[in-house]
Amino acid sequence: MKEIAIRLNGEIRRVVVNPNETLLDVLRGKLGIKTPKEGCGRGDCGACTVLLDGKAVRSCLILAIETDGQSVVTLEGVGRKGPTALQKAFVKNNTFQCGFCAPGVILSASALLAGKPQPTEHEVREALAGNLCRCTGYEPIVETVLAVARKNGRKATIRRKRP
Ligand code: FES
Ligand code: FES
C-alpha cells in the first residue's frame, strides 16, 4: 500500500492505493468519481477515458500508483464553471442515446480540440477511434465535434480581423 497525491479535477487528493489497483478502480471505488465507466476492462472500449496531464488515456490500463503527482481530469471536472461549447453542442444536437460512451467521447474530443481547435474530419475520427459507441453509428458524434471546430474557426477569423 502506498499513499499517492493526484490533482483530481483541480484539487489535490491523497489516497492510499494497492500497487495493482487501476486508476479506474481508485477513481470509482475510493475517490467517488463515477463518470469513467468500466466497459471492457482491457483497453478496447474507451468508456473509462480520463485526461492524464491533458492527454486522453484509458484509466483501466493505468496503475493508480503510476499517476502519483499527475493531473487527472474526469467529466466531473470538465466545464466546472459551466458547460463547455462542446458539451453544449452535444446537448443541442441530442447526440447521444444511452450515454454510456459519452464521458469518454467528451474527454477524447476535448483533448483533441484543446490541442487543435480546428481538426479535420479525419483527425476527429482518429481521436475518437478508441471510443466505442453502440447506439449512434458515430456520425452524429463526429458531426457535432466538427460543428464546434467550425465555430472555433469563425471565432479565430473574427479575432484576426479585429485591429
Ligand atoms: Fe477501459 Fe474499456 S473499460 S477501455
Ligand atoms: Fe449509447 Fe454511445 S450513446 S454507447
Side-chain angles (χ1 to χ4, degrees):
M1 301 283 268
K2 183 185 180 231
E3 185 181 89
I4 64 167
I6 58 175
R7 182 176 291 278
L8 177 59
N9 297 328
E11 284 172 19
I12 301 290
R13 301 286 302 270
R14 295 177 192 283
V15 60
V16 175
V17 300
N18 287 314
N20 61 351
E21 271 181 305
T22 65
L23 178 58
L24 176 63
D25 286 342
V26 170
L27 287 172
R28 291 185 60 88
K30 294 184 172 173
L31 292 169
I33 295 288
K34 300 297 184 188
T35 57
K37 307 280 192 299
E38 174 147 9
C40 64
R42 56 176 194 211
D44 291 338
C45 73
C48 64
T49 301
V50 301
L51 302 183
L52 186 60
D53 282 347
K55 190 169 173 252
V57 297
R58 294 172 180 77
S59 61
C60 71
L61 293 183
I62 291 176
L63 292 174
I65 208 161
E66 295 173 328
T67 65
D68 193 15
Q70 298 190 62
S71 151
V72 178
V73 174
T74 65
L75 190 64
E76 286 86 346
V78 173
R80 278 197 307 170
K81 296 175 189 152
T84 63
L86 181 66
Q87 286 174 305
K88 281 187 200 160
F90 277 132
V91 171
K92 183 171 168 236
N93 294 353
N94 207 10
T95 305
F96 297 107
Q97 291 178 30
C98 79
F100 189 81
C101 67
V105 168
I106 291 170
L107 288 166
S108 292
S110 300
L112 171 70
L113 292 169
K116 187 147 207 190
Q118 296 165 65
T120 63
E121 180 174 343
H122 176 73
E123 287 166 333
V124 172
R125 287 186 187 278
E126 212 168 55
L128 298 179
N131 293 93
L132 302 189
C133 175
R134 289 177 184 272
C135 307
T136 66
Y138 300 102
E139 294 310 317
I141 294 176
V142 171
E143 189 37 54
T144 301
V145 178
L146 285 172
V148 175
R150 284 193 292 274
K151 229 180 207 172
N152 289 341
R154 284 197 292 277
K155 275 189 207 151
T157 309
I158 291 166
R159 272 200 301 273
R160 271 199 302 276
K161 279 184 182 163
R162 277 193 190 130

